[in-house]
Amino acid sequence: MNGTDDSRLGGVITALTRVGVLLFVGWTLWLFQVMYRVTQLSESRLATAWEERIQALAFLTFPPNLSLIALAATAAATATWLAGPTQSLGLAVLLRTLRWTANLLIVVALASILVEVFGQPTGIDTIETVAFRLGGMIGLVGISYLCLAAGRTAPGG
């Protein structure tokens, strides 16, 4: 490659990294709003306060709400693969942060599924609710795997 191609590739890697960071920051700001809602919940006649909070946190794991995390992970993984051994520390941190965020959300999704199945006095309320939450959890597993696979190709991966 010549100097022009190297600088163009460096520009693409930098742009993808910045896009990944901005998308993650946007998701994190939305997370604050969800966490505020979670702190405002109390016990209802149908569920304990903790069950209510888990159900509110489950909102983070619904498939339509995964778009910012998925796009950020795609940008970070692509930048990592393009950068190869020249990956920056910031990109490595972003990729790992996205992976661990997805892993944490997998735990939240699993908890929300368990509350839905075992927290209802009559058993499973609706199978489509469980399927919807399971779909989000599977999407999060895919995001985590994408970040893991990209991270393995990076220095120190």
Side-chain angles (χ1 to χ4, degrees), residues 78-97:
T78 303
T80 298
W81 282 319
L82 290 173
T86 65
Q87 179 194 38
S88 69
L89 178 61
L91 179 55
V93 169
L94 173 64
L95 193 66
R96 283 164 181 78
T97 302

PDB file of all heavy atoms in Angstrom, residues 78-97:
ATOM      1  N   THR A  78     -15.633  -3.702  12.838  1.00  0.00           N
ATOM      2  CA  THR A  78     -15.098  -3.408  11.499  1.00  0.00           C
ATOM      3  C   THR A  78     -13.802  -2.612  11.602  1.00  0.00           C
ATOM      4  O   THR A  78     -12.819  -2.915  10.909  1.00  0.00           O
ATOM      5  CB  THR A  78     -16.141  -2.635  10.667  1.00  0.00           C
ATOM      6  OG1 THR A  78     -17.347  -3.400  10.595  1.00  0.00           O
ATOM      7  CG2 THR A  78     -15.630  -2.362   9.261  1.00  0.00           C
ATOM      8  N   ALA A  79     -13.784  -1.603  12.471  1.00  0.00           N
ATOM      9  CA  ALA A  79     -12.560  -0.807  12.654  1.00  0.00           C
ATOM     10  C   ALA A  79     -11.425  -1.679  13.170  1.00  0.00           C
ATOM     11  O   ALA A  79     -10.274  -1.529  12.744  1.00  0.00           O
ATOM     12  CB  ALA A  79     -12.826   0.353  13.613  1.00  0.00           C
ATOM     13  N   THR A  80     -11.737  -2.601  14.070  1.00  0.00           N
ATOM     14  CA  THR A  80     -10.712  -3.497  14.617  1.00  0.00           C
ATOM     15  C   THR A  80     -10.141  -4.396  13.529  1.00  0.00           C
ATOM     16  O   THR A  80      -8.921  -4.576  13.441  1.00  0.00           O
ATOM     17  CB  THR A  80     -11.302  -4.348  15.760  1.00  0.00           C
ATOM     18  OG1 THR A  80     -11.733  -3.466  16.798  1.00  0.00           O
ATOM     19  CG2 THR A  80     -10.293  -5.324  16.312  1.00  0.00           C
ATOM     20  N   TRP A  81     -11.010  -4.953  12.699  1.00  0.00           N
ATOM     21  CA  TRP A  81     -10.521  -5.822  11.625  1.00  0.00           C
ATOM     22  C   TRP A  81      -9.703  -5.039  10.604  1.00  0.00           C
ATOM     23  O   TRP A  81      -8.710  -5.541  10.080  1.00  0.00           O
ATOM     24  CB  TRP A  81     -11.682  -6.550  10.956  1.00  0.00           C
ATOM     25  CG  TRP A  81     -12.184  -7.717  11.767  1.00  0.00           C
ATOM     26  CD1 TRP A  81     -11.435  -8.630  12.446  1.00  0.00           C
ATOM     27  CD2 TRP A  81     -13.538  -8.077  11.989  1.00  0.00           C
ATOM     28  NE1 TRP A  81     -12.237  -9.542  13.081  1.00  0.00           N
ATOM     29  CE2 TRP A  81     -13.536  -9.234  12.820  1.00  0.00           C
ATOM     30  CE3 TRP A  81     -14.752  -7.555  11.587  1.00  0.00           C
ATOM     31  CZ2 TRP A  81     -14.702  -9.867  13.231  1.00  0.00           C
ATOM     32  CZ3 TRP A  81     -15.909  -8.193  12.003  1.00  0.00           C
ATOM     33  CH2 TRP A  81     -15.879  -9.335  12.811  1.00  0.00           C
ATOM     34  N   LEU A  82     -10.105  -3.820  10.324  1.00  0.00           N
ATOM     35  CA  LEU A  82      -9.339  -2.996   9.383  1.00  0.00           C
ATOM     36  C   LEU A  82      -8.002  -2.566   9.970  1.00  0.00           C
ATOM     37  O   LEU A  82      -6.996  -2.497   9.261  1.00  0.00           O
ATOM     38  CB  LEU A  82     -10.143  -1.752   8.977  1.00  0.00           C
ATOM     39  CG  LEU A  82     -11.356  -1.985   8.081  1.00  0.00           C
ATOM     40  CD1 LEU A  82     -12.137  -0.682   7.903  1.00  0.00           C
ATOM     41  CD2 LEU A  82     -10.939  -2.552   6.730  1.00  0.00           C
ATOM     42  N   ALA A  83      -7.981  -2.270  11.264  1.00  0.00           N
ATOM     43  CA  ALA A  83      -6.753  -1.784  11.902  1.00  0.00           C
ATOM     44  C   ALA A  83      -5.724  -2.888  12.082  1.00  0.00           C
ATOM     45  O   ALA A  83      -4.519  -2.628  12.012  1.00  0.00           O
ATOM     46  CB  ALA A  83      -7.085  -1.154  13.261  1.00  0.00           C
ATOM     47  N   GLY A  84      -6.185  -4.099  12.306  1.00  0.00           N
ATOM     48  CA  GLY A  84      -5.243  -5.204  12.520  1.00  0.00           C
ATOM     49  C   GLY A  84      -4.328  -4.917  13.698  1.00  0.00           C
ATOM     50  O   GLY A  84      -4.779  -4.485  14.751  1.00  0.00           O
ATOM     51  N   PRO A  85      -3.027  -5.111  13.512  1.00  0.00           N
ATOM     52  CA  PRO A  85      -2.093  -4.913  14.625  1.00  0.00           C
ATOM     53  C   PRO A  85      -1.890  -3.448  15.014  1.00  0.00           C
ATOM     54  O   PRO A  85      -1.260  -3.166  16.013  1.00  0.00           O
ATOM     55  CB  PRO A  85      -0.791  -5.529  14.117  1.00  0.00           C
ATOM     56  CG  PRO A  85      -0.902  -5.538  12.641  1.00  0.00           C
ATOM     57  CD  PRO A  85      -2.366  -5.637  12.323  1.00  0.00           C
ATOM     58  N   THR A  86      -2.449  -2.515  14.243  1.00  0.00           N
ATOM     59  CA  THR A  86      -2.286  -1.097  14.568  1.00  0.00           C
ATOM     60  C   THR A  86      -3.470  -0.552  15.352  1.00  0.00           C
ATOM     61  O   THR A  86      -3.632   0.661  15.463  1.00  0.00           O
ATOM     62  CB  THR A  86      -2.097  -0.269  13.284  1.00  0.00           C
ATOM     63  OG1 THR A  86      -3.297  -0.348  12.498  1.00  0.00           O
ATOM     64  CG2 THR A  86      -0.909  -0.745  12.480  1.00  0.00           C
ATOM     65  N   GLN A  87      -4.297  -1.428  15.917  1.00  0.00           N
ATOM     66  CA  GLN A  87      -5.482  -0.996  16.660  1.00  0.00           C
ATOM     67  C   GLN A  87      -5.094  -0.064  17.808  1.00  0.00           C
ATOM     68  O   GLN A  87      -4.147  -0.329  18.539  1.00  0.00           O
ATOM     69  CB  GLN A  87      -6.221  -2.215  17.220  1.00  0.00           C
ATOM     70  CG  GLN A  87      -7.451  -1.864  18.024  1.00  0.00           C
ATOM     71  CD  GLN A  87      -7.964  -3.031  18.835  1.00  0.00           C
ATOM     72  OE1 GLN A  87      -7.199  -3.807  19.365  1.00  0.00           O
ATOM     73  NE2 GLN A  87      -9.272  -3.133  18.934  1.00  0.00           N
ATOM     74  N   SER A  88      -5.849   1.002  17.967  1.00  0.00           N
ATOM     75  CA  SER A  88      -5.578   1.962  19.042  1.00  0.00           C
ATOM     76  C   SER A  88      -6.143   1.446  20.366  1.00  0.00           C
ATOM     77  O   SER A  88      -7.043   0.603  20.385  1.00  0.00           O
ATOM     78  CB  SER A  88      -6.193   3.320  18.719  1.00  0.00           C
ATOM     79  OG  SER A  88      -7.608   3.233  18.764  1.00  0.00           O
ATOM     80  N   LEU A  89      -5.631   1.986  21.436  1.00  0.00           N
ATOM     81  CA  LEU A  89      -6.115   1.613  22.764  1.00  0.00           C
ATOM     82  C   LEU A  89      -7.587   1.999  22.930  1.00  0.00           C
ATOM     83  O   LEU A  89      -8.372   1.249  23.494  1.00  0.00           O
ATOM     84  CB  LEU A  89      -5.260   2.278  23.848  1.00  0.00           C
ATOM     85  CG  LEU A  89      -5.686   2.001  25.293  1.00  0.00           C
ATOM     86  CD1 LEU A  89      -5.608   0.508  25.600  1.00  0.00           C
ATOM     87  CD2 LEU A  89      -4.818   2.794  26.252  1.00  0.00           C
ATOM     88  N   GLY A  90      -7.961   3.161  22.425  1.00  0.00           N
ATOM     89  CA  GLY A  90      -9.354   3.607  22.528  1.00  0.00           C
ATOM     90  C   GLY A  90     -10.317   2.647  21.845  1.00  0.00           C
ATOM     91  O   GLY A  90     -11.396   2.361  22.368  1.00  0.00           O
ATOM     92  N   LEU A  91      -9.927   2.145  20.693  1.00  0.00           N
ATOM     93  CA  LEU A  91     -10.764   1.185  19.980  1.00  0.00           C
ATOM     94  C   LEU A  91     -10.857  -0.130  20.746  1.00  0.00           C
ATOM     95  O   LEU A  91     -11.929  -0.732  20.844  1.00  0.00           O
ATOM     96  CB  LEU A  91     -10.214   0.954  18.569  1.00  0.00           C
ATOM     97  CG  LEU A  91     -10.968  -0.038  17.687  1.00  0.00           C
ATOM     98  CD1 LEU A  91     -12.440   0.327  17.566  1.00  0.00           C
ATOM     99  CD2 LEU A  91     -10.311  -0.095  16.308  1.00  0.00           C
ATOM    100  N   ALA A  92      -9.747  -0.567  21.314  1.00  0.00           N
ATOM    101  CA  ALA A  92      -9.758  -1.804  22.108  1.00  0.00           C
ATOM    102  C   ALA A  92     -10.669  -1.663  23.318  1.00  0.00           C
ATOM    103  O   ALA A  92     -11.440  -2.582  23.645  1.00  0.00           O
ATOM    104  CB  ALA A  92      -8.336  -2.158  22.549  1.00  0.00           C
ATOM    105  N   VAL A  93     -10.620  -0.509  23.967  1.00  0.00           N
ATOM    106  CA  VAL A  93     -11.478  -0.261  25.138  1.00  0.00           C
ATOM    107  C   VAL A  93     -12.946  -0.235  24.713  1.00  0.00           C
ATOM    108  O   VAL A  93     -13.809  -0.826  25.376  1.00  0.00           O
ATOM    109  CB  VAL A  93     -11.066   1.048  25.845  1.00  0.00           C
ATOM    110  CG1 VAL A  93     -12.099   1.469  26.875  1.00  0.00           C
ATOM    111  CG2 VAL A  93      -9.697   0.890  26.488  1.00  0.00           C
ATOM    112  N   LEU A  94     -13.242   0.438  23.610  1.00  0.00           N
ATOM    113  CA  LEU A  94     -14.618   0.483  23.109  1.00  0.00           C
ATOM    114  C   LEU A  94     -15.142  -0.916  22.826  1.00  0.00           C
ATOM    115  O   LEU A  94     -16.257  -1.264  23.236  1.00  0.00           O
ATOM    116  CB  LEU A  94     -14.694   1.349  21.847  1.00  0.00           C
ATOM    117  CG  LEU A  94     -16.047   1.355  21.127  1.00  0.00           C
ATOM    118  CD1 LEU A  94     -17.128   1.971  22.018  1.00  0.00           C
ATOM    119  CD2 LEU A  94     -15.934   2.106  19.806  1.00  0.00           C
ATOM    120  N   LEU A  95     -14.360  -1.717  22.135  1.00  0.00           N
ATOM    121  CA  LEU A  95     -14.791  -3.066  21.778  1.00  0.00           C
ATOM    122  C   LEU A  95     -15.077  -3.902  23.025  1.00  0.00           C
ATOM    123  O   LEU A  95     -16.100  -4.580  23.111  1.00  0.00           O
ATOM    124  CB  LEU A  95     -13.709  -3.730  20.916  1.00  0.00           C
ATOM    125  CG  LEU A  95     -14.098  -5.001  20.191  1.00  0.00           C
ATOM    126  CD1 LEU A  95     -15.156  -4.708  19.136  1.00  0.00           C
ATOM    127  CD2 LEU A  95     -12.869  -5.608  19.532  1.00  0.00           C
ATOM    128  N   ARG A  96     -14.206  -3.834  24.005  1.00  0.00           N
ATOM    129  CA  ARG A  96     -14.409  -4.611  25.232  1.00  0.00           C
ATOM    130  C   ARG A  96     -15.572  -4.068  26.064  1.00  0.00           C
ATOM    131  O   ARG A  96     -16.329  -4.823  26.664  1.00  0.00           O
ATOM    132  CB  ARG A  96     -13.126  -4.656  26.038  1.00  0.00           C
ATOM    133  CG  ARG A  96     -12.133  -5.647  25.443  1.00  0.00           C
ATOM    134  CD  ARG A  96     -10.730  -5.459  25.965  1.00  0.00           C
ATOM    135  NE  ARG A  96      -9.781  -6.396  25.383  1.00  0.00           N
ATOM    136  CZ  ARG A  96      -9.258  -6.296  24.182  1.00  0.00           C
ATOM    137  NH1 ARG A  96      -9.594  -5.303  23.387  1.00  0.00           N
ATOM    138  NH2 ARG A  96      -8.387  -7.187  23.734  1.00  0.00           N
ATOM    139  N   THR A  97     -15.734  -2.748  26.080  1.00  0.00           N
ATOM    140  CA  THR A  97     -16.862  -2.146  26.804  1.00  0.00           C
ATOM    141  C   THR A  97     -18.187  -2.591  26.195  1.00  0.00           C
ATOM    142  O   THR A  97     -19.132  -2.932  26.914  1.00  0.00           O
ATOM    143  CB  THR A  97     -16.755  -0.609  26.789  1.00  0.00           C
ATOM    144  OG1 THR A  97     -15.514  -0.223  27.388  1.00  0.00           O
ATOM    145  CG2 THR A  97     -17.906   0.031  27.530  1.00  0.00           C
TER     146      THR A  97
END
